[in-house]
Amino acid sequence: MSTLYYVGIAMIAGLIFSRIVKKIHLPNVTGYLVAGLLIGPSVLKWIPGEGLEDISIITTAALGFIAFSIGGEFKVSSIKAIGKNVIVITLFQSLLAAFAVDAVLLLCRFNAAEAIMLGAIATATAPAATLMVVRQYKAKGELTNTLLPVVAMDDAVGLMVFSVSVAIAKTLSAGEAVSVNTMLVKPLIEIALSLLSGGLLGLAISFSMRFFHSRANKLMICIAAVAIGVAVAQRFGLSDLLVCMAIGAVFINLREDALDVMGLCDNWTPPLFMLFFLISGADLNLEILTSVGVLGAIYIVVRAFGKYFGAYLGAVVVKASPNIRKYLGITLLPQAGVAIGMAQMALTLLPEYGDRIQAVVLAATLVYELLGPVATKIALTRAGEISVAKKV
């Protein structure tokens, strides 16, 4: 069968399952993952293994645009408006989640490279599920005002942690001795070169838009920049996620019309993201899923612990209100796009552990996407930011 056939089958399955999950009040991402699992090599085999390889470029492109959109959250004026308190809380909850997962998995004698990768992935939070609850129930208040910028910045911190963790995990999996050079120098050089490359591309597209004025042309420039950014990263061994994030960050700060152009990209990417989640679900090996029960359960529980107490400690440090201390961590459980993207990268970067890492993350995503929105609603309600009338 042709590549276009597999793309068409995947999109039809995604559309059907998005309707099904909507009836039971679950996020679309859950439907896409389940649809991919069913039509993939593990179940119905409508898309065989070679078919997934044919359309794997979609995953690469989607990751680039996910990172590009994250970069768009780094407008300097917005960060100044957010204030240092939110930045401190974001760092605490992200880093404690990573440290907690790393520490517990290592204490339980799981493979060190695998543990470090899962710890890095634990940092990521899915803003879509949280935002959905806030908008649906029209939540308002200091908890909501803190929550939204935290989830916006969280994935950027996660990408940084992931880049460092990848370098360490690759060293461990290769059986090399861990040194300051492998743990710090090489990862920091990779991060710096990735951000520099992305920054230069962001500067280039910002300048080039002086000569192209139509919305369509501006959209095509952004698409070209992300494609080139991913290609450059793969060619020189850089982080394509950081490169594309830097493109978005520089672009959003140099162009007054950047938000409008970013909006054009948001309108263009939904089919791409749908296929990304479908392919991720189809990639899941059910045989491996049954073998990671303990590992998956530890990851789900410990990540939740790290997110909650990290947010609590950060709120204590900045002397935030009791509502933020008690409830912010509960709202940070959902995990989807960026985490799945990191797991997909693990398949390529650490093939000996990639299948297990992906299985754990996809299983955790299903759990978090089921429970996360409900937990967020409960937290916002107890904080008094969803009225009784709006809960009905």
Side-chain angles (χ1 to χ4, degrees):
M1 290 292 183
S2 71
T3 300
L4 290 177
Y5 170 80
Y6 296 133
V7 170
I9 288 294
M11 294 189 75
I12 290 171
L15 288 169
I16 291 172
F17 272 82
S18 69
R19 294 297 89 191
I20 293 174
V21 296
K22 187 174 183 180
K23 296 291 183 182
I24 52 178
H25 307 292
L26 293 178
N28 283 346
V29 63
T30 304
Y32 298 153
L33 290 171
V34 173
L37 176 62
L38 290 178
I39 67 176
S42 293
V43 185
L44 297 176
K45 297 180 174 63
W46 290 355
I47 300 181
E50 58 270 21
L52 288 177
E53 292 179 7
D54 290 342
I55 59 178
S56 61
I57 191 173
I58 293 172
T59 299
T60 303
L63 285 171
F65 279 99
I66 288 172
F68 180 68
S69 65
I70 291 172
E73 301 291 339
F74 276 75
K75 192 171 179 64
V76 172
S77 59
S78 299
I79 294 175
K80 288 181 179 178
I82 287 171
K84 65 178 182 180
N85 287 2
V86 169
I87 296 173
V88 170
I89 293 173
T90 301
L91 289 173
F92 264 86
Q93 58 86 23
S94 288
L95 297 178
L96 187 57
F99 176 78
V101 171
D102 284 345
V104 173
L105 291 182
L106 289 173
L107 286 172
C108 293
R109 298 187 180 278
F110 285 100
N111 178 272
E114 194 174 54
I116 288 171
M117 291 295 288
L118 284 171
I121 295 171
T123 60
T125 302
T130 301
L131 189 60
M132 176 187 68
V133 175
V134 170
R135 288 178 176 173
Q136 180 178 352
Y137 296 101
K138 298 181 174 61
K140 291 182 181 180
E142 61 177 355
L143 176 59
T144 303
N145 292 339
T146 303
L147 164 64
L148 295 179
V150 166
V151 296
M153 296 179 60
D154 184 65
D155 286 337
V157 176
L159 294 185
M160 299 286 189
V161 175
F162 184 77
S163 295
V164 174
S165 298
V166 164
I168 298 172
K170 288 170 71 174
T171 299
L172 292 172
S173 66
E176 300 175 8
V178 177
S179 64
V180 173
N181 185 49
T182 57
M183 287 187 64
L184 289 177
V185 178
K186 285 185 177 179
L188 290 177
I189 290 175
E190 179 183 320
I191 289 173
L193 291 176
S194 298
L195 295 177
L196 176 62
S197 301
L200 291 174
L201 281 168
L203 183 64
I205 65 171
S206 300
F207 177 76
S208 66
M209 285 190 185
R210 295 182 180 184
F211 308 101
F212 298 92
H213 306 292
S214 72
R215 293 161 63 87
N217 283 340
K218 290 179 179 179
L219 173 61
M220 285 188 280
I221 290 172
C222 288
I223 294 172
V226 171
I228 292 171
V230 171
V232 167
Q234 294 182 343
R235 172 65 179 82
F236 296 102
L238 304 177
S239 168
D240 45 1
L241 293 175
L242 288 182
V243 170
C244 293
M245 186 183 77
I247 295 172
V250 171
F251 176 61
I252 198 71
N253 284 289
L254 293 183
R255 293 283 304 184
E256 292 183 359
D257 61 349
L259 283 176
D260 292 335
V261 178
M262 287 282 194
L264 293 176
C265 290
D266 290 341
N267 292 333
W268 180 80
T269 51
L272 190 65
F273 292 161
M274 175 204 281
L275 289 169
F276 167 72
F277 289 119
L278 277 156
I279 293 169
S280 298
D283 263 334
L284 181 59
N285 186 332
L286 286 179
E287 293 180 0
I288 292 179
L289 185 61
T290 60
S291 69
V292 296
V294 174
L295 177 61
I298 291 174
Y299 174 82
I300 290 169
V301 173
V302 176
R303 175 184 175 270
F305 171 91
K307 284 286 180 182
Y308 180 83
F309 284 100
Y312 182 89
L313 289 175
V316 169
V317 168
V318 301
K319 299 179 180 179
S321 71
N323 270 351
I324 293 176
R325 296 183 190 185
K326 288 189 292 185
Y327 300 121
L328 179 61
I330 299 173
T331 66
L332 299 174
L333 294 182
Q335 189 172 50
V338 174
I340 293 174
M342 291 175 178
Q344 285 285 67
M345 291 186 69
L347 281 171
T348 303
L349 299 171
L350 291 168
E352 61 269 50
Y353 308 114
D355 284 341
R356 280 167 58 86
I357 291 171
Q358 187 195 45
V360 169
V361 173
L362 290 182
T365 295
L366 290 175
V367 172
Y368 288 136
E369 289 296 287
L370 286 171
L371 301 180
V374 176
T376 299
K377 178 186 173 183
I378 292 172
L380 290 172
T381 301
R382 290 186 176 178
E385 298 188 10
I386 296 178
S387 67
V388 175
K390 289 172 184 173
K391 287 188 290 180
V392 178

